[in-house]
Amino acid sequence: MKFQYLAVIFVIIILPITLVMSFYMQTQIDIMDRQNEYRAKLSDATYDAVKAFQINTTNSYYSSVSDSKIRDIEAAVNTFYNSLTANLNLTKSELKAYVPAIVYTLYDGYYIYGKRYNVYEGPQINKSGELTNMTINTDTENITDPDLYEYGLKPFVYYSCQYQKGSDNFIVNFTLDNFISIYGTIGGTYYNKSGYLIEIDSNRNKFDGKYKGTTITNTAENLTEYLKFTTTASNQPKEGVYRYVVHQNQKVYINGSDYFWYDQGVAHPIQGSTTKAAIAEMIKKSSSYEFYQEAYEFSKWVYDNLKDIKQANIRTVIRKTNGDIEIETGGTNLEFDAGNQSLFDTSKDPEDPASIFNQHRMAVIKNTIETNLMAAINSYNSNASSFAYALPQLTEEDWEKAVNNVCMIAFMQGMPIGGKYFNDYVVVPNDKNNEFVDNDSVYLTTNDGKYHLTNCPILIENRNWQDRINGGYINTAFQRQTVNGQYYYRHVYNNKIETPYSPCYYCLVNSSGKYDLDDDIINNTIGNIDRNGQHYNITTLRQKYFSILGREKNNLYKTNN
């Protein structure tokens, strides 16, 4: 065969294959580029929503109250959609078809924003832990009438688990830290109790002033904030620094012999001799010492009453799609298997990340989010669509964020990108919120006008700097505030509004030299650090940190306090 014939055959066979392969490769590259583009835009929109939530909550003294919280979350959802519509050139209604769920994990539960059926009839658990309303009149998972659905926040869901042993039947609501609420019958008595769990001595009933090897002093602190007012009436307090205490989950400010609470630039006087007398007593107390004392007593009660509760005592109510009710025991739906070990043995540090209690807590939170989120996303399949919506597999790292932080989780599915569909999610933690006090959300102030992280190398490596610590607050307290278009900061240096506390360069700006908060500070009960041949005593630092941490946790709003 002549060479020319071979060349013609080569061109006829190979060239089309080359063109097809080139087209296929370019298509795959375009799909990957589009995936990365959508992923970046989804991430940007989620960050924008979290930032909006931060701004709204840090400027509200009552952002933890239910109505205020719902308002702030709905505002964050609008920010999310506004950001996406601007980036993807789609309308909000068009985007909703591709966003099956948005999850807000909060301190003691979570909201899911998405398509919801606006009527629910089904089983409930009454005060005695018994099931009522066993009849399901409507199979909500197979409803196809679009008029019966609406978009919005679904009912708030607690991180809860039910336990039954003999005549004991109770529910425990978990949180993002070691605070729990207990509802139900224990030992023949109905209880509604809440508190923080800390390690206790099973032979000692009362708090002895020691926490993790540190002495907690029972001395009242002088807590202050700078306040700006929108009214200049003669009977109103003037702009300036005011001392405050927290009474019944609410900050009360002291103006001479008068007391007031503050909201949106307005002072509201507190009346009533009984209330004023109670506030006067609060001023004399240490809210930090009170926190550890109450936590110890609650933890001792939990040990005495719940130390024999194990995973086999878990009782799960399951509603099937056909409306049937099934009772499952043993916690087989939980990822963590505690075996025969006690779930609430507070003689072993429940705050230890590796403790049975903490691992059980995380498993309960993960399970309740996963179960309801799966149902929420699957409900989108009732739409006439060629795409099957399903809960993607979240990584362990993302679950770690969700069960230990206030987070926003946004899902986008079914967006056409060439020959495929975009299917991804983003988890963004909110590290500045008024929901709860994490161990690393406490900032310490020093008498040079700076605020520091507890593991700041300046504080650890220079003993004199530990003595210069003059206070500390949760990180949101150092965010800029707005009243009537005017900006100010709650904490100022030398009581002057023009000199707010500023961040420390060595820990908040340049974080390379920080020590480990858990290993070097919190769990370092000997109070010494040896590094590179140097010996550092952190006894004073630990004492001040734990006092501030306890006070901030004690003063935080709790729905069941």
Side-chain angles (χ1 to χ4, degrees):
M1 183 179 291
K2 291 184 179 181
F3 178 78
Q4 291 88 344
Y5 295 158
L6 292 174
V8 171
I9 294 173
F10 178 83
V11 170
I12 293 174
I13 297 175
I14 301 301
L15 184 59
I17 295 176
T18 303
L19 292 175
V20 171
M21 289 299 296
S22 176
F23 176 78
Y24 174 78
M25 293 299 294
Q26 186 59 49
T27 301
Q28 296 304 308
I29 292 173
D30 291 342
I31 290 175
M32 291 180 64
D33 288 342
R34 188 66 66 85
Q35 283 179 328
N36 291 333
E37 177 188 355
Y38 282 8
R39 185 176 294 111
K41 290 178 178 178
L42 177 62
S43 179
D44 290 344
T46 310
Y47 273 99
D48 289 343
V50 168
K51 189 63 178 178
F53 187 76
Q54 287 182 351
I55 292 173
N56 288 331
T57 55
T58 56
N59 276 277
S60 173
Y61 279 55
Y62 305 100
S63 60
S64 295
V65 180
S66 178
D67 291 345
S68 178
K69 191 183 300 182
I70 291 173
R71 178 201 63 202
D72 294 336
I73 291 175
E74 290 177 338
V77 169
N78 288 331
T79 300
F80 172 81
Y81 278 112
N82 290 339
S83 179
L84 269 186
T85 54
N87 288 327
L88 295 178
N89 197 28
L90 294 171
T91 66
K92 184 176 180 180
S93 59
E94 290 173 328
L95 277 174
K96 284 182 176 179
Y98 305 116
V99 182
I102 301 173
V103 183
Y104 284 87
T105 62
L106 302 174
Y107 180 65
D108 54 352
Y110 60 95
Y111 285 101
I112 296 179
Y113 181 92
K115 185 179 66 174
R116 64 186 182 185
Y117 180 60
N118 56 20
V119 176
Y120 173 75
E121 296 181 58
Q124 306 289 329
I125 298 177
N126 65 16
K127 184 176 180 180
S128 301
E130 300 170 340
L131 287 172
T132 60
N133 191 21
M134 299 294 289
T135 302
I136 302 293
N137 294 325
T138 306
D139 183 2
T140 61
E141 299 195 10
N142 291 317
I143 294 173
T144 57
D145 184 356
D147 293 334
L148 296 178
Y149 284 105
E150 62 184 9
Y151 285 90
L153 287 180
K154 298 187 177 185
F156 187 75
V157 181
Y158 288 96
Y159 308 128
S160 62
C161 189
Q162 186 177 7
Y163 308 84
Q164 184 173 22
K165 183 179 181 182
S167 61
D168 292 349
N169 192 346
F170 60 94
I171 293 174
V172 175
N173 287 350
F174 294 90
T175 64
L176 298 180
D177 59 13
N178 53 319
F179 184 89
I180 64 172
S181 297
I182 302 170
Y183 311 86
T185 302
I186 301 171
T189 302
Y190 184 84
Y191 289 98
N192 180 349
K193 295 177 71 69
S194 296
Y196 287 89
L197 296 182
I198 61 174
E199 185 175 11
I200 57 105
D201 180 347
S202 58
N203 296 316
R204 181 165 46 84
N205 292 325
K206 299 295 183 181
F207 178 60
D208 65 353
K210 298 286 187 180
Y211 175 73
K212 293 186 181 295
T214 296
T215 299
I216 306 298
T217 60
N218 194 9
T219 304
E221 290 184 281
N222 184 28
L223 307 176
T224 61
E225 283 188 353
Y226 198 100
L227 302 179
K228 287 183 71 70
F229 298 92
T230 58
T231 177
T232 57
S234 59
N235 61 340
Q236 283 285 316
K238 306 301 180 183
E239 175 181 319
V241 175
Y242 291 86
R243 185 182 178 187
Y244 73 88
V245 295
V246 176
H247 176 64
Q248 296 182 347
N249 291 141
Q250 183 173 281
K251 286 183 180 178
V252 174
Y253 297 88
I254 303 165
N255 183 24
S257 59
D258 296 324
Y259 307 124
F260 65 92
W261 60 272
Y262 175 87
D263 183 41
Q264 301 298 315
V266 178
H268 302 270
I270 293 177
Q271 307 293 338
S273 57
T274 302
T275 302
K276 287 187 174 182
I279 295 172
E281 287 300 312
M282 290 288 299
I283 297 173
K284 304 175 185 177
K285 297 180 179 180
S286 166
S287 57
S288 175
Y289 189 91
E290 181 182 56
F291 168 80
Y292 291 107
Q293 183 179 47
E294 292 180 353
Y296 189 93
E297 292 174 357
F298 176 74
S299 300
K300 185 64 168 64
W301 182 90
V302 169
Y303 176 84
D304 291 340
N305 291 275
L306 306 183
K307 66 177 180 295
D308 293 329
I309 298 298
K310 301 175 182 178
Q311 184 154 319
N313 302 122
I314 294 176
R315 183 174 183 262
T316 306
V317 179
I318 299 176
R319 179 175 66 87
K320 296 184 175 181
T321 56
N322 63 1
D324 291 342
I325 296 298
E326 182 177 298
I327 306 299
E328 184 178 276
T329 59
T332 56
N333 57 327
L334 297 182
E335 185 176 273
F336 172 69
D337 185 358
N340 199 39
Q341 300 188 72
S342 172
L343 301 177
F344 301 98
D345 182 2
T346 54
S347 66
K348 301 172 183 176
D349 188 3
E351 297 177 277
D352 182 351
S355 68
I356 296 298
F357 166 79
N358 189 62
Q359 292 184 78
H360 176 62
R361 175 192 69 85
M362 293 191 296
V364 169
I365 294 176
K366 178 179 177 181
N367 179 69
T368 183
I369 294 175
E370 201 169 38
T371 301
N372 287 280
L373 186 56
M374 187 180 301
I377 292 180
N378 285 342
S379 69
Y380 263 56
N381 290 318
S382 60
N383 289 340
S385 173
S386 59
F387 182 82
Y389 296 91
L391 177 65
Q393 187 69 35
L394 274 68
T395 66
E396 285 303 314
E397 181 181 358
D398 287 331
W399 275 120
E400 184 76 16
K401 295 177 185 176
V403 301
N404 291 302
N405 299 277
V406 172
C407 284
M408 176 176 172
I409 311 174
F411 297 86
M412 181 180 286
Q413 297 185 8
M415 180 81 75
I417 48 173
K420 294 184 177 181
Y421 292 102
F422 178 76
N423 182 11
D424 207 348
Y425 69 92
V426 173
V427 181
V428 178
N430 181 355
D431 59 354
K432 291 182 174 62
N433 63 83
N434 293 326
E435 280 284 309
F436 84 114
V437 181
D438 198 9
N439 288 338
D440 59 359
S441 64
V442 167
Y443 290 168
L444 308 180
T445 59
T446 48
N447 59 11
D448 64 339
K450 303 289 185 183
Y451 58 85
H452 310 253
L453 292 171
T454 309
N455 50 354
C456 174
I458 294 295
L459 300 181
I460 290 175
E461 297 173 3
N462 192 322
R463 180 66 175 77
N464 293 330
W465 274 96
Q466 295 181 39
D467 293 329
R468 298 177 68 177
I469 298 173
N470 58 8
Y473 302 89
I474 188 173
N475 54 13
T476 56
F478 296 90
Q479 301 297 299
R480 189 174 69 174
Q481 307 294 302
T482 305
V483 168
N484 199 26
Q486 301 180 51
Y487 299 119
Y488 75 103
Y489 291 84
R490 295 185 195 176
H491 298 290
V492 296
Y493 181 51
N494 285 339
N495 291 348
K496 297 179 180 178
I497 191 172
E498 65 272 12
T499 58
Y501 278 92
S502 57
C504 167
Y505 173 82
Y506 294 97
C507 63
L508 287 162
V509 180
N510 174 25
S511 60
S512 59
K514 291 190 302 183
Y515 289 73
D516 186 85
L517 179 62
D518 290 324
D519 294 338
D520 293 327
I521 309 294
I522 295 177
N523 298 317
N524 184 359
T525 56
I526 62 175
N528 294 309
I529 296 177
D530 293 307
R531 177 176 294 186
N532 300 326
Q534 299 295 318
H535 178 80
Y536 306 117
N537 185 303
I538 58 168
T539 302
T540 300
L541 177 65
R542 295 183 77 242
Q543 191 275 329
K544 293 185 177 182
Y545 167 71
F546 285 133
S547 294
I548 295 167
L549 180 68
R551 176 245 296 162
E552 289 296 309
K553 285 188 173 185
N554 190 68
N555 292 348
L556 202 65
Y557 179 86
K558 294 289 192 305
T559 57
N560 196 43
N561 269 9

